[in-house]
Amino acid sequence: MPSDCISYQSSGYFTPLITDYLNQKDTLKPLYHRFPTLENFKAQIEEKQKNYNPAFRSVLADTLQEQYKNINTSALTQHNIDLLRKDDTFTVTTGHQLNLFTGPLYFLYKIVSAVNLSKELKAAYPQQNFVPVYWMATEDHDFEEINFFTFRNKKIKWPRESAGPVGRFSTEGLEAVLDVFSKELGLGKNAAWLTKLFEDAYIKHTNLADATRYLANELFSSEGLVILDADTAGLKKLFAPYVQEELLKQTSHLKVAETAALLKDYNIQVNPREINLFYIEDTLRERIILQDGVYHINNTELKFSEDEILALLDSNPEKFSPNVIMRPLYEEVILPNLAYIGGGGEIAYWLELKSYFESAKTTFPILLVRNSVLLATQKQADKLDKLGLSWADMFSKQQDLLNKKVQSFSEFKLDFTDQKELLKNQFEVLADIAAKTDASFIGAVKAQEIKQIKGLENLEKRLLKAEKRNHTEQLERIVLLQNELFPGKGLQERKANFSEFYLEFDGSLLSKLFSQLKPLEQEFNVVIL
């Protein structure tokens, strides 16, 4: 069997920023606190224990108990909630939007990464406890990003109008989505289980936050996952001093802007606003804008003086919602958290935040790129072997892969590099002669060199094309296999939904992920189902 692990750096699917972070490039070291190694967690534990407010533990645990009161909670999840009251318990957190029916596969990989890292930490540091947490992004308002999932290349969408934080959305209208989905699933035990899971989550719960909590709990409660909705007055009251700082001094904008200068050689993931807070109600989430000493709520008639908005913060902290810049601080203030696990895009914006955390006197978490996975069947793995391909080949751009295989199939060399190099050497001699006789000929010699090299390149392309025709059948099989594994020439984990794999492989999907994914190894895993 070909190698089934590909480094993130060589996969071709990570940005230069994330590749440089993984390579621990010196210029990026000021932007993170500790690199994710098992040994580095020792100092992280000690620092977080010193800096985390122990009084927050009871508020956190009480909030979770309230949120879980109507859910059939596993003994392990309940135990983990209870452990959060203890000073020697820490969390490993991942966050995700409330994508319909979990959305793309990488939702699973984030949570598996958090669970498996918690287990690794417990083995390495048995005196402490480690709880995996899924932070539901209930306050987001980008409904168009979450209102669909893809099943066997078919987009199953929830068409409705949206306004306000998505966690508070009514699930009304999802019966029609279930009807479409169940028909796509067909018959059978696994199809029936998936249909019931969708129904119990979305039809029997009245809002998207409760539906998503139920769904994630059904999938992961056996592993002790704790699911948190931070859109609550009790938790936001703990964060109120940081909200007040933002309203009065706009600290996040100043600090993140400073850090952005250190990332000038990369694409900045997010840009801070002057105030990185929203005002929210059930059907409203709008930016807070400060103009001439007055706080305006964008796209509304609402406005507040300084005294009025501070009074509102004191009486109704739940009306203030942190944006992407402040949400990480909110998380790290209210959780005894050690590490944040996210995709490349998330880690990129966390790298903008360290100086902001320092100004807020809050421990910056260890940043871990989540596990990435390519799921394949045994049949696909067998095809790969027969075609003489490696899993690394599958990550190549398709045209590059085909060209490489044509070269290997051919009885003669299709690469004219040697001939082009010989031609260049000959023209160097001609250019030297021209320079010594009549310098006006140098231009003519150069033009002829370009023409001759171009001619060789054209011959090379024609020969390659002819050879492709001779190996059409094998190349078509390669294309078909790569297109199966990389739908739309992109990552499977960013498109496919878990249901199409569960339909065929049921519980073995999650069990294989838990047994094979190692979050600290930072490799693209190929998992054979």
Side-chain angles (χ1 to χ4, degrees), residues 149-217:
F149 63 97
T150 301
F151 178 79
R152 291 177 173 168
N153 293 317
K154 178 172 181 177
K155 191 173 184 179
I156 297 177
K157 187 174 181 180
W158 178 20
R160 59 155 287 174
E161 295 297 319
S162 64
V166 295
R168 305 183 191 183
F169 280 8
S170 167
T171 53
E172 185 179 356
L174 279 167
E175 294 88 351
V177 177
L178 174 59
D179 186 53
V180 172
F181 182 43
S182 61
K183 288 176 181 175
E184 291 292 328
L185 286 170
L187 302 175
K189 180 185 70 173
N190 291 344
W193 185 86
L194 288 165
T195 299
K196 187 175 188 306
L197 179 62
F198 190 103
E199 181 179 1
D200 288 347
Y202 293 102
I203 310 305
K204 295 183 179 179
H205 291 88
T206 59
N207 64 61
L208 198 52
D210 289 346
T212 304
R213 183 187 297 107
Y214 176 88
L215 177 60
N217 183 69

Side-chain angles (χ1 to χ4, degrees), residues 443-455:
V445 171
K446 189 63 181 174
Q448 190 62 223
E449 178 186 357
I450 293 171
K451 181 179 179 181
Q452 295 290 336
I453 295 290
K454 188 70 175 176

Side-chain angles (χ1 to χ4, degrees), residues 423-529:
L423 198 60
K424 287 178 182 178
N425 291 336
Q426 290 174 333
F427 273 101
E428 282 181 11
V429 174
L430 290 173
D432 188 52
I433 293 171
K436 291 176 180 177
T437 55
D438 188 342
S440 64
F441 285 138
I442 293 177
V445 171
K446 189 63 181 174
Q448 190 62 223
E449 178 186 357
I450 293 171
K451 181 179 179 181
Q452 295 290 336
I453 295 290
K454 188 70 175 176
L456 274 179
E457 289 175 346
N458 288 335
L459 285 173
E460 192 176 47
K461 288 176 182 176
R462 290 176 65 182
L463 187 59
L464 185 62
K465 190 174 181 180
E467 276 295 277
K468 283 182 178 179
R469 286 196 296 270
N470 293 334
H471 302 283
T472 298
E473 186 178 342
Q474 284 175 295
L475 296 176
E476 284 179 348
R477 290 206 297 268
I478 291 172
V479 168
L480 183 61
L481 179 59
Q482 191 181 47
N483 287 348
E484 286 176 3
L485 295 168
F486 291 81
K489 296 185 173 61
L491 289 179
Q492 173 198 75
E493 65 180 35
R494 291 193 163 275
K495 185 172 183 180
N497 181 262
F498 85 97
S499 56
E500 65 183 79
F501 294 92
Y502 190 95
L503 190 63
E504 186 172 354
F505 301 102
D506 54 62
S508 67
L509 170 60
L510 281 175
S511 64
K512 288 209 170 189
L513 292 176
F514 279 116
S515 66
Q516 295 186 35
L517 301 193
K518 296 176 174 57
L520 292 174
E521 290 188 2
Q522 309 266 284
E523 290 179 323
F524 216 117
N525 294 267
V526 178
V527 174
I528 310 300
L529 295 170

Side-chain angles (χ1 to χ4, degrees), residues 247-248 290 293-295 304-313:
L247 290 169
L248 298 181
L290 179 60
V294 177
Y295 295 87
F304 304 91
S305 68
E306 182 179 297
D307 288 344
E308 288 170 339
I309 204 162
L310 293 180
L312 182 66
L313 175 61

Side-chain angles (χ1 to χ4, degrees), residues 377-397:
T377 64
Q378 187 58 54
K379 184 177 178 181
Q380 289 169 329
D382 292 341
K383 286 181 183 177
L384 194 84
D385 283 336
K386 288 177 183 177
L387 290 166
L389 295 167
S390 69
W391 289 112
D393 287 333
M394 288 287 95
F395 283 80
S396 303
K397 291 182 179 176

Side-chain angles (χ1 to χ4, degrees), residues 258-470:
E258 288 174 8
T259 304
L262 301 176
L263 291 166
K264 63 181 185 303
D265 295 331
Y266 304 96
N267 290 327
I268 298 295
Q269 190 69 20
V270 293
N271 289 299
R273 300 188 181 277
E274 186 179 4
I275 292 179
N276 290 287
L277 291 166
F278 289 94
Y279 175 92
I280 60 169
E281 295 178 356
D282 285 348
T283 58
L284 178 70
R285 187 176 189 246
E286 290 287 351
R287 287 168 48 210
I288 300 173
I289 300 171
L290 179 60
Q291 292 179 335
D292 300 323
V294 177
Y295 295 87
H296 298 264
I297 308 306
N298 198 39
N299 295 319
T300 75
E301 297 297 319
L302 293 171
K303 58 184 179 180
F304 304 91
S305 68
E306 182 179 297
D307 288 344
E308 288 170 339
I309 204 162
L310 293 180
L312 182 66
L313 175 61
D314 184 58
S315 63
N316 297 91
E318 72 279 5
K319 289 186 178 291
F320 295 83
S321 175
N323 75 352
V324 68
I325 294 291
M326 286 194 70
R327 192 273 305 160
L329 182 65
Y330 180 32
E331 171 191 299
E332 298 302 315
V333 165
I334 68 173
L335 291 176
N337 197 47
L338 301 176
Y340 183 79
I341 298 174
E346 291 174 279
I347 301 304
Y349 73 70
W350 274 88
L351 289 171
E352 298 180 45
L353 303 176
K354 183 165 175 277
S355 64
Y356 176 41
F357 270 70
E358 289 170 349
S359 72
K361 296 181 173 57
T362 301
T363 299
F364 196 66
I366 289 176
L367 302 179
L368 184 65
V369 179
R370 64 167 173 80
N371 281 118
S372 281
V373 179
L374 176 64
L375 297 177
T377 64
Q378 187 58 54
K379 184 177 178 181
Q380 289 169 329
D382 292 341
K383 286 181 183 177
L384 194 84
D385 283 336
K386 288 177 183 177
L387 290 166
L389 295 167
S390 69
W391 289 112
D393 287 333
M394 288 287 95
F395 283 80
S396 303
K397 291 182 179 176
Q398 194 165 92
Q399 203 55 53
D400 292 342
L401 174 59
L402 296 180
N403 290 346
K404 175 184 174 182
K405 293 310 295 181
V406 170
Q407 295 276 5
S408 67
F409 293 152
S410 182
E411 297 177 1
F412 45 86
K413 192 174 182 181
L414 302 176
D415 184 351
F416 287 176
T417 299
D418 292 345
Q419 289 82 354
K420 284 184 276 189
E421 192 61 34
L422 180 61
L423 198 60
K424 287 178 182 178
N425 291 336
Q426 290 174 333
F427 273 101
E428 282 181 11
V429 174
L430 290 173
D432 188 52
I433 293 171
K436 291 176 180 177
T437 55
D438 188 342
S440 64
F441 285 138
I442 293 177
V445 171
K446 189 63 181 174
Q448 190 62 223
E449 178 186 357
I450 293 171
K451 181 179 179 181
Q452 295 290 336
I453 295 290
K454 188 70 175 176
L456 274 179
E457 289 175 346
N458 288 335
L459 285 173
E460 192 176 47
K461 288 176 182 176
R462 290 176 65 182
L463 187 59
L464 185 62
K465 190 174 181 180
E467 276 295 277
K468 283 182 178 179
R469 286 196 296 270
N470 293 334

